[in-house]
Amino acid sequence: MKYIILIGDGMSDDPIKELGGRTPLQAAKTPNMDMLAQKGSIGLVKNVPDEYPPGSDVAILSVLGYDPAKYYTGRSPLEAASIGVKLAPDDLAVRCNLVTLGQKDGKVYMDDFSADHITTDEAKEIIRDVDKELGGNGFRFYPGVSYRHLMVWSGGPDNLETTPPHDITGKEIKDYLPKGKGSDKFIQMMNASQMFLKGHPVNIKRQENGHKPANSIWLWGQGRAPKLPTLKQRFGIEGSIISAVDLLKGLGIYAGLKVVNVPGATGYLDTNYRGKAEYALKEMETRDFVCVHVEAPDEAGHNGDLKGKIKAIEDFDKEVVGRALDGLSQFKDYRMLVLPDHPTPIAKKTHTRDPVPFVMYPCNDSHGKAFTEAEAKASGLFVEQGYKLIERLLKK
Ligand SMILES: [Zn+2]
């Protein structure tokens, strides 16, 4: 038996006036997901419990069958694994974004949480210098992908409160600075980074080319290494994970999955959808389980880009779901699960904890007319503890 999970990050949404009260999932052309809903089983699943931050880390921990109450220790430890950084038990892993801060009327605000999608090569140069300037005394900085990087604080404290920068676009940062024991150290680091990043050669060049500068680091998403039993230990399956996002690769490593890198997978609207499906089918030849994650709809949601979100959903349906369906027919028995991890509503430009629609195929529980939020609700099938959904998928 072969199992596959296809995640369209942030795909679900709320009704939008511009679409005549429809959601992007309702407005997008999705013949493959609609067919799965008509012939398979559709329902709602809640991947983010109310007491947790509505992030992909919590949501996809649930999708892979891990109860967040038992296993969630923050976003950054997962990303650390994906860039090969081993954490000691008392290490605190911290997400280090490169951001663009703006100034207006003497107020400092979050202009761009991604420093205008700085390239990985430019960012590597900057993070190397950040480590030189601010590293030492138990602090180390490690380069990641684009604007997503890592700081490790050996012996760092618990219970720091921090804010994801993508939640405060356009807002004054003074209201969202780190709080709690050790927060002064974080604030000092962020302020110090602004001093030398102002004149950094990479930023000078970026501004000459019309791009926003990475003029500060922003620290958040901290935690210690999680202790996850692997999917092999839990369900006896060998699997692989395909994603451009470090968080997913790290989660895959802790879950005992093989991380497969697809050329041209960017984690953005221009990602290699087709390549992801092709590599997944290749993995299926030797593995029992594959999880494919596509970040694009979420990025469009964060940017309030309605057209981009509809296009990302249509590309996901055609190039990932459609191709996977075609290719899976070579296997005698398989079961597929397609879902968003959490909603990223265009109007809110950030994640919510609302339940999301899922479809499982082949399956005979509850059919729907199309793969939409409304049809999933109308089905009456609701999986309140999202981490239990995988048991339905893997049921013999
Ligand atoms: Zn997500």
Side-chain angles (χ1 to χ4, degrees):
M1 184 77 169
K2 302 286 182 181
Y3 306 98
I4 189 165
I5 299 181
L6 305 176
I7 303 172
D9 201 304
M11 267 194 310
S12 53
D13 210 309
D14 303 323
I16 295 176
K17 207 153 154 248
E18 226 175 313
L19 297 174
R22 292 172 300 161
T23 67
L25 261 178
Q26 284 173 315
K29 292 184 204 62
T30 57
N32 295 296
M33 292 191 286
D34 294 343
M35 183 282 285
L36 297 178
Q38 288 148 14
K39 296 196 176 148
S41 120
I42 186 169
L44 282 176
V45 58
K46 188 163 168 57
N47 291 323
V48 182
D50 288 342
E51 53 282 8
Y52 285 85
S56 301
D57 44 356
V58 175
I60 298 176
L61 205 57
S62 294
V63 172
L64 290 178
Y66 296 97
D67 179 358
K70 237 169 133 183
Y71 298 111
Y72 182 64
T73 63
R75 161 188 287 268
S76 189
L78 302 173
E79 293 173 340
S82 80
I83 54 175
V85 174
K86 283 226 168 327
L87 298 171
D90 71 340
D91 278 348
L92 188 71
V94 185
R95 162 69 87 83
C96 173
N97 269 50
L98 285 175
V99 301
T100 307
L101 298 180
Q103 285 219 17
K104 200 161 171 269
D105 312 328
K107 293 181 178 151
V108 181
Y109 64 93
M110 181 61 66
D111 180 15
D112 189 320
F113 67 84
S114 74
D116 200 4
H117 283 280
I118 188 168
T119 67
T120 299
D121 289 345
E122 290 172 309
K124 204 170 264 173
E125 250 186 86
I126 287 183
I127 292 295
R128 190 198 52 213
D129 293 340
V130 167
D131 188 48
K132 255 192 239 143
E133 287 282 325
L134 306 178
N137 304 320
F139 292 89
R140 282 298 315 272
F141 293 83
Y142 300 89
V145 173
S146 179
Y147 58 90
R148 306 176 181 104
H149 306 283
L150 170 71
M151 180 183 86
V152 175
W153 182 355
S154 304
D158 289 312
N159 306 326
L160 267 160
E161 283 170 50
T162 55
T163 305
H166 53 251
D167 282 355
I168 55 170
T169 302
K171 297 188 176 149
E172 235 192 306
I173 63 166
K174 74 170 172 44
D175 306 325
Y176 302 96
L177 292 173
K179 294 185 184 69
K181 188 167 162 270
S183 60
D184 54 328
K185 201 69 198 162
F186 272 29
I187 295 169
Q188 192 197 323
M189 287 272 182
M190 287 152 66
N191 290 341
S193 76
Q194 288 152 32
M195 307 300 280
F196 84 93
L197 284 176
K198 200 181 285 173
H200 193 281
V202 169
N203 282 329
I204 305 289
K205 205 148 166 236
R206 283 182 62 75
Q207 286 168 292
E208 280 164 9
N209 297 332
H211 295 300
K212 293 178 182 174
N215 57 16
S216 183
I217 62 172
W218 187 269
L219 302 170
W220 63 289
Q222 69 288 344
R224 302 197 190 282
K227 295 184 188 70
L228 302 186
T230 65
L231 293 184
K232 173 95 180 154
Q233 287 162 337
R234 300 186 57 208
F235 303 109
I237 52 170
E238 297 276 2
S240 305
I241 193 158
I242 294 177
S243 174
V245 176
D246 281 354
L247 173 70
L248 271 290
K249 295 178 185 178
L251 191 42
I253 289 167
Y254 278 111
L257 300 175
K258 173 185 161 193
V259 174
V260 177
N261 292 312
V262 175
T266 59
Y268 200 49
L269 298 182
D270 59 355
T271 195
N272 181 2
Y273 294 92
R274 179 177 182 158
K276 286 189 172 185
E278 286 167 355
Y279 274 69
L281 291 166
K282 193 93 199 99
E283 287 300 306
M284 270 290 162
E285 289 169 13
T286 55
R287 321 285 285 182
D288 315 303
F289 170 85
V290 176
C291 177
V292 180
H293 169 264
V294 173
E295 172 68 6
D298 179 60
E299 284 288 333
H302 281 297
N303 293 327
D305 175 4
L306 178 55
K307 260 173 93 197
K309 187 166 184 176
I310 291 174
K311 173 98 176 43
I313 292 170
E314 291 180 345
D315 289 343
F316 175 76
D317 182 81
K318 182 168 173 241
E319 302 294 347
V320 178
V321 181
R323 284 179 189 282
L325 264 174
D326 291 348
L328 283 166
S329 56
Q330 68 183 284
F331 302 108
K332 200 163 84 19
D333 290 315
Y334 70 86
R335 196 172 292 139
M336 170 188 269
L337 170 62
V338 181
L339 76 174
D341 52 346
H342 52 71
T344 308
I346 290 282
K348 295 193 174 99
K349 292 189 181 178
T350 189
H351 307 165
T352 74
R353 294 178 183 82
D354 293 346
V356 295
F358 73 86
V359 68
M360 207 175 285
Y361 173 88
C363 210
N364 282 322
D365 293 11
S366 55
H367 302 315
K369 296 193 205 66
F371 184 65
T372 67
E373 300 87 348
E375 285 291 321
K377 191 156 191 225
S379 77
L381 174 56
F382 178 39
V383 181
E384 184 150 18
Q385 294 168 308
Y387 67 88
K388 291 188 174 166
L389 184 60
I390 198 168
E391 289 160 21
R392 277 171 183 258
L393 177 74
L394 302 178
K395 196 174 57 196
K396 294 279 180 286

